[in-house]
Amino acid sequence: MRKELAPILEEIQGQNILVIGDMVADIYLDGRISRISREAPVLVLEQAGEKIIAGGAANVVNNVATLGGNVFAVGLVGLDNAARGLKEALERNGVHTDGLFCDEKRPTISKTRVIAGGRATVSQQIVRIDKESHEPMAPAFESQIMQYVKSLLPKIKGIVLSDYGSGTVTPKLSQQLISWCRAHGIPSMVDSRYDIHRFKGIGYVKQNDAELAAAVGRELATEEDIYAAGQELLEELQADGVLVTRGEYGMVLLEKDGAIHNIPVSDKSEVFDVSGAGDTCVATVILALAAGVDPARAAELSNVASGIAVRKLGTATVSKAELAAVLGK
């Protein structure tokens, strides 16, 4: 079955994809344990390195780029080192970053992980420091983003709304984009962690099983429960499909014509880290839909790509070459 998916890889190359959402800078500070502080019973670390990688919606962007898409990132950043590092991480993969607007009054959304280790100890995360503004987006920036997006829309083949709850995907922006997609037959997809109900009219919805349970307000103990909850969300949002990711149980795609596609996990051999695998899933699906691929086959391809992502530590991307190698087996 995998080899049957291989031709899709060429079809998705160069597709123009717009990703709007909460762009996150994942910052890793490496420290070597020096001594115990005399000020307090805490470790003193000598900083040995700093790495900034794309997280949140920016990880969806990066995955679209590494899989071969031509991707436009849209969101807000601050005037800080996190913004510079995030842009560099995206531009290394050829991402268009003109849509990352700088609001000097708010910080770039960042998650700083301090990693401590020594010559005789295993390095481990000792603290995470999150930074973001909880103020609503200023109307001036909402207007700027909308103008930029409108200038792009005629050449866009697929749109992702990546909502991590930080307020970038405002109701006004989301409804205008959803309306455009419906009017012009453009595939759209939303991945919203906390507020999926406000995306009525979206093309495709991506939820993991825990998010779906929260969305319908009940425990989903069986496959039948997941099917029922997915159908409920499908009808409420008047969507074309709902894709539910289920970890080691694979994925389920429910379509508006009543079809249910149960897709088993592609490879259980080495699951290291599921963080970011959902972003890989979304990136693969929107690329395939933009190329005119059948939704069920798009989901199957994303299942294989996600299987590669979970075998990597941390927020990760999957390349065209990696996916081609697995599909060729």
Side-chain angles (χ1 to χ4, degrees):
M1 185 185 77
R2 285 182 181 177
K3 287 186 178 179
E4 294 172 9
L5 298 172
I8 300 175
L9 259 184
E10 295 309 317
E11 296 173 35
I12 69 177
Q13 299 306 301
Q15 295 291 338
N16 291 334
I17 305 296
L18 186 151
V19 178
I20 181 170
D22 301 312
M23 303 290 166
V24 179
D26 279 335
I27 305 171
Y28 292 84
L29 290 178
D30 272 325
R32 296 291 168 262
I33 298 169
S34 173
R35 61 188 185 279
I36 301 296
S37 173
R38 288 185 292 180
E39 300 170 1
V42 296
L43 296 173
V44 174
L45 304 179
E46 290 183 6
Q47 187 169 329
E50 179 179 351
K51 180 171 65 174
I52 300 178
I53 63 176
N59 190 44
V60 180
V61 171
N62 245 356
N63 271 278
V64 173
T66 57
L67 286 165
N70 185 37
V71 59
F72 299 81
V74 180
L76 281 183
V77 295
L79 185 64
D80 49 30
N81 187 55
R84 287 188 290 273
L86 182 56
K87 280 189 175 183
E88 287 172 6
L90 295 175
E91 288 167 359
R92 277 196 297 270
N93 289 319
V95 172
H96 301 279
T97 60
D98 292 345
L100 297 182
F101 292 90
C102 177
D103 182 349
E104 297 179 13
K105 295 181 179 178
R106 61 197 299 142
T108 302
I109 306 165
S110 62
K111 299 175 182 179
T112 301
R113 297 161 176 88
V114 179
I115 315 294
R119 283 183 296 177
T121 60
V122 175
S123 292
Q124 63 182 46
Q125 184 180 155
I126 59 170
V127 67
R128 192 180 97 178
I129 305 159
D130 290 2
K131 185 190 292 186
E132 69 174 292
S133 171
H134 295 286
E135 295 297 315
M137 184 191 297
F141 282 102
E142 187 178 49
S143 178
Q144 274 187 291
I145 287 174
M146 198 63 243
Q147 286 304 116
Y148 173 75
V149 167
K150 282 181 177 177
S151 73
L152 288 179
L153 285 176
K155 63 180 177 182
I156 295 298
K157 301 299 181 185
I159 292 179
V160 174
L161 309 177
S162 183
D163 175 31
Y164 277 75
S166 296
T168 306
V169 188
T170 66
K172 184 177 179 180
L173 287 170
S174 62
Q175 284 309 312
Q176 287 186 328
L177 286 170
I178 290 168
S179 296
W180 167 271
C181 289
R182 283 293 176 197
H184 295 85
I186 303 298
S188 63
M189 191 168 195
V190 64
D191 186 2
S192 180
R193 186 167 290 184
Y194 304 110
D195 194 12
I196 197 67
H197 300 287
R198 67 182 175 89
F199 295 95
K200 189 171 182 178
I202 193 75
Y204 291 84
V205 179
K206 184 266 172 188
Q207 295 271 272
N208 64 35
D209 44 9
E211 290 164 345
L212 181 61
V216 298
R218 61 180 183 272
E219 186 179 344
L220 306 177
T222 66
E223 280 190 4
E224 287 69 28
D225 290 342
I226 288 174
Y227 299 159
Q231 187 64 36
E232 190 177 309
L233 193 60
L234 185 72
E235 292 173 2
E236 178 196 337
L237 298 181
Q238 297 176 8
D240 297 323
V242 171
L243 180 63
V244 186
T245 56
R246 304 182 59 213
E248 70 269 28
Y249 299 109
M251 301 177 178
V252 175
L253 173 66
L254 298 100
E255 297 191 78
K256 66 178 180 182
D257 62 3
I260 298 175
H261 309 276
N262 211 328
I263 306 164
V265 71
S266 62
D267 186 354
K268 292 184 179 180
S269 60
E270 297 176 311
V271 177
F272 290 126
D273 192 344
V274 297
S275 61
D279 299 329
T280 302
C281 167
V282 170
T284 312
V285 170
I286 197 65
L287 277 167
L289 292 175
V293 174
D294 176 77
R297 287 171 64 78
E300 289 171 9
L301 185 68
S302 80
N303 189 48
V304 179
S306 300
I308 298 169
V310 298
R311 296 199 294 276
K312 300 181 178 184
L313 289 172
T315 304
T317 58
V318 174
S319 71
K320 175 191 174 185
E322 288 174 314
L323 188 49
V326 173
L327 293 175
K329 289 182 180 177

